[in-house]
Amino acid sequence: MVDRPNKPQALATTPGLPPQAQVNITHDNSRVSAVLPSGECIEVLLHGATVTSWKDRAGNERLWLSEAAKLDGSKAVRGGIPLVFPVFGTAPDHEPTSKLPQHGFARNSRWDFLGKSTTESSGQTDASVKLDFGLSTATIDDEAKKLWPFSFSLIYSVTLTPDALRTGIVITNDGDQPFEFQTLLHTYFRIGDITKVKISGLEESAYIDKVDGAKEKQQTGDVTIAGEVDRVYHPASPETPVVVSESGEAKFSIVRDNLGDVVVWNPWVEKAQGMGDFEPKDGYRNMICVEAGAVKAWTKLEAGDAYEGGQIISV
């Protein structure tokens, strides 16, 4: 092929075309990254379809990721946004999921990248990009099929805009038998100082305190963190945004769609010390998990039916 000195530029850089997001598959086809014209960017690991990074246009990271997180597919990622399905925690008393590992198999499975869709703009402030990922009975490993022998398909969508991140899941029962499931978006937010954090939007909500023997309690006022916290809230006002503030300034606002529960988690000192993939050990000071999900009860999906849920995180 002759290398012409005046060969034309690629279409994406042709003057006059509107700005659009750039999407790349990197790290030996293990990660998908996207950058908006305004500079915001995300990275998604195909192992678990885990969002591992979400940065603003100045390069500031919004998600917490452990320095010891395994990104080679050998185990679930500690940090970012792991996806929980079809069981939250473990459920030894729920026969269909009793043999599954902690938080199910979705976060430990290799997902397919189904493609992108972008919104072009005349400027840099209204462009967006949506990345779609898929997992199904046909693509999970044999061990997972053995432990959970139902026919299903999942489509997980991650949408980046200049001021928000949207994550949503569609779960379809492809078989001829109903099944029950739980699902959760296990979001690790990066913050500056956990002692200065307050979480609003859960006032007067009932919750299960897993640190105190799974006792049922009632929230009064804002949630503050002064020790290990592991709570499953069922918000009294499900339409009210859950807001994470630090030093009186709102940092994140989470609006849920068909995800009725909110888990709040911070391991604090002793639990962080005991987790091999949690680094640095004082990293609990710089993270808070606020997780939208459907986990307090089981969601039953009849043959051929589909379930859809998601969240919008605004900054």
Side-chain angles (χ1 to χ4, degrees):
M1 179 182 292
V2 177
D3 186 14
R4 292 179 295 161
N6 298 314
K7 59 185 177 184
Q9 295 290 320
L11 289 176
T13 60
T14 301
L17 286 182
Q20 58 183 312
Q22 300 298 312
V23 176
N24 293 289
I25 302 177
T26 65
H27 295 77
D28 295 327
N29 296 318
S30 67
R31 307 182 201 181
V32 180
S33 63
V35 183
L36 295 182
S38 48
E40 294 83 3
C41 60
I42 54 172
E43 186 174 80
V44 183
L45 188 69
L46 289 177
H47 182 72
T50 308
V51 182
T52 55
S53 178
W54 171 30
K55 294 180 181 178
D56 66 17
R57 65 190 64 183
N60 300 308
E61 183 59 67
R62 291 167 169 160
L63 300 177
W64 186 87
L65 182 69
S66 169
E67 293 177 4
K70 302 297 184 183
L71 303 180
D72 60 359
S74 60
K75 65 178 298 185
V77 177
R78 175 70 65 188
I81 311 180
L83 179 60
V84 172
F85 175 88
V87 61
F88 173 59
T90 58
D93 297 330
H94 186 258
E95 178 58 30
T97 58
S98 61
K99 298 178 182 178
L100 288 175
Q102 171 88 355
H103 291 335
F105 54 75
R107 66 178 189 152
N108 278 312
S109 296
R110 166 88 180 197
W111 290 60
D112 293 322
F113 177 46
L114 303 179
K116 66 174 183 177
S117 56
T118 60
T119 300
E120 299 176 349
S121 66
S122 56
Q124 292 189 339
T125 59
D126 54 351
S128 67
V129 59
K130 182 166 78 77
L131 308 175
D132 291 326
F133 304 88
L135 185 72
S136 69
T137 307
T139 58
I140 60 174
D141 62 32
D142 291 339
E143 182 64 19
K145 293 175 187 176
K146 187 187 305 181
L147 297 177
W148 202 70
F150 297 99
S151 184
F152 73 96
S153 56
L154 308 179
I155 296 177
Y156 183 53
S157 299
V158 179
T159 304
L160 176 67
T161 70
D163 57 0
L165 182 69
R166 303 176 184 178
T167 58
I169 188 167
V170 177
I171 302 167
T172 302
N173 183 344
D174 295 324
D176 55 9
Q177 298 293 326
F179 62 72
E180 294 182 320
F181 69 90
Q182 297 171 328
T183 190
L184 180 88
L185 304 169
H186 198 312
T187 309
Y188 289 72
F189 291 106
R190 176 173 287 278
I191 47 89
D193 184 349
I194 190 62
T195 65
K196 298 178 180 179
V197 166
K198 291 185 177 180
I199 302 169
S200 60
L202 298 172
E203 300 85 356
E204 308 307 320
S205 298
Y207 69 90
I208 296 171
D209 190 343
K210 298 175 72 176
V211 175
D212 189 14
K215 292 180 181 177
E216 294 194 11
K217 301 181 179 180
Q218 192 90 1
Q219 180 66 39
T220 57
D222 294 336
V223 179
T224 56
I225 313 297
E228 182 185 351
V229 173
D230 192 354
R231 302 174 182 174
V232 181
Y233 285 87
H234 193 69
S237 301
E239 71 284 351
T240 301
V242 177
V243 178
V244 179
S245 300
E246 185 176 355
S247 301
E249 179 184 355
K251 295 291 186 179
F252 304 98
S253 175
I254 303 106
V255 174
R256 295 163 294 120
D257 180 14
N258 204 29
L259 295 173
D261 305 314
V262 176
V263 174
V264 177
W265 182 73
N266 183 287
W268 211 249
V269 181
E270 290 187 12
K271 184 154 283 187
Q273 288 288 333
M275 290 187 289
D277 62 351
F278 194 99
E279 291 288 349
K281 293 305 181 186
D282 64 353
Y284 70 89
R285 298 177 181 272
N286 306 118
M287 53 76 64
I288 182 67
C289 285
V290 182
E291 313 161 25
V295 298
K296 190 176 180 183
W298 295 94
T299 299
K300 187 174 183 179
L301 200 58
E302 298 291 343
D305 284 353
Y307 166 96
E308 184 171 1
Q311 66 175 353
I312 302 174
I313 307 169
S314 302
V315 292

